[in-house]
Amino acid sequence: METTTDETAAEDARTEEAAPQEAATGDGTARDAATGGASGADAEADADADATTDAEAAGPSGVGQGAGAVVSVALGIVSLTGSWTGTVAAARETLVGQLRTSSTASVSQQIKEVYGDAWHTTALWAGLFALVALVTGAVVLVRPAFGAPGRPQAPWIKSVAWAGVALGVIGLLLAVLKYSDALLGLPPAS
């Protein structure tokens, strides 16, 4: 029995001698065992805080710019294919033209009031959508100049934004040509 007590006393003495040494050298294994691993949780919290700080330092992710680029393309397509708003406005203009035109009006006057004004209304709405697409795409393209320095814009965002700008320019050009009757003008009344 005496050997067991002596061995236990010797182990306790070694542990007491090692504790001041560990504190002086910064080895936290005894401290971790004594605190139940609290410094391990602190290390994880510090790592999470560092990751959050790194993500914040990296700047915005570009999600807004990507969404703006996609919206620009969608608006450009709407300007080329037509929109519900333009269709409703054209139908309303047709109705107004029918109400304003008397049955004794000339054929050219009836064509202009009933069909011409509706055609111009459709062109105006298409031009509005094209203009918004153009401006949205341009804003997405120039946004990095005012954002986080040294953070390049993703290539797909640039490509999609340029597509939106191109569709906006084409839609605006077609809207101007339709409105000025240079493209698909009204037929002569003769």
Side-chain angles (χ1 to χ4, degrees):
M1 286 290 216
E2 282 183 32
T3 37
T4 310
T5 309
D6 290 338
E7 289 174 6
T8 308
E11 284 179 29
D12 289 340
R14 278 183 273 183
T15 305
E16 289 175 9
E17 288 174 11
Q21 234 179 5
E22 289 172 356
T25 60
D27 185 17
T29 53
R31 199 171 348 124
D32 286 347
T35 60
S39 67
D42 290 342
E44 286 180 27
D46 289 342
D48 290 342
D50 289 342
T52 304
T53 305
D54 291 343
E56 290 172 358
S61 63
V63 172
Q65 293 178 26
V70 171
V71 166
S72 175
V73 168
L75 290 171
I77 290 171
V78 167
S79 76
L80 294 175
T81 60
S83 67
W84 175 82
T85 311
T87 303
V88 169
R92 182 183 183 285
E93 196 62 38
T94 299
L95 180 62
V96 168
Q98 288 172 351
L99 293 174
R100 272 197 230 151
T101 308
S102 67
S103 59
T104 60
S106 67
V107 174
S108 62
Q109 181 67 23
Q110 288 178 1
I111 289 173
K112 182 195 172 304
E113 289 293 329
V114 176
Y115 300 108
D117 291 347
W119 181 249
H120 291 153
T121 302
T122 302
L124 280 174
W125 279 99
L128 181 66
F129 277 101
L131 184 63
V132 173
L134 178 65
V135 169
T136 304
V139 166
V140 169
L141 288 173
V142 300
R143 172 66 177 99
F146 302 104
R151 177 140 173 117
Q153 192 174 40
W156 73 268
I157 294 175
K158 284 183 183 179
S159 299
V160 174
W162 275 114
V165 168
L167 288 171
V169 167
I170 292 168
L172 197 57
L173 179 65
L174 288 174
V176 167
L177 290 173
K178 286 191 294 188
Y179 190 81
S180 66
D181 291 331
L183 178 68
L184 301 172
L186 292 173
S190 54

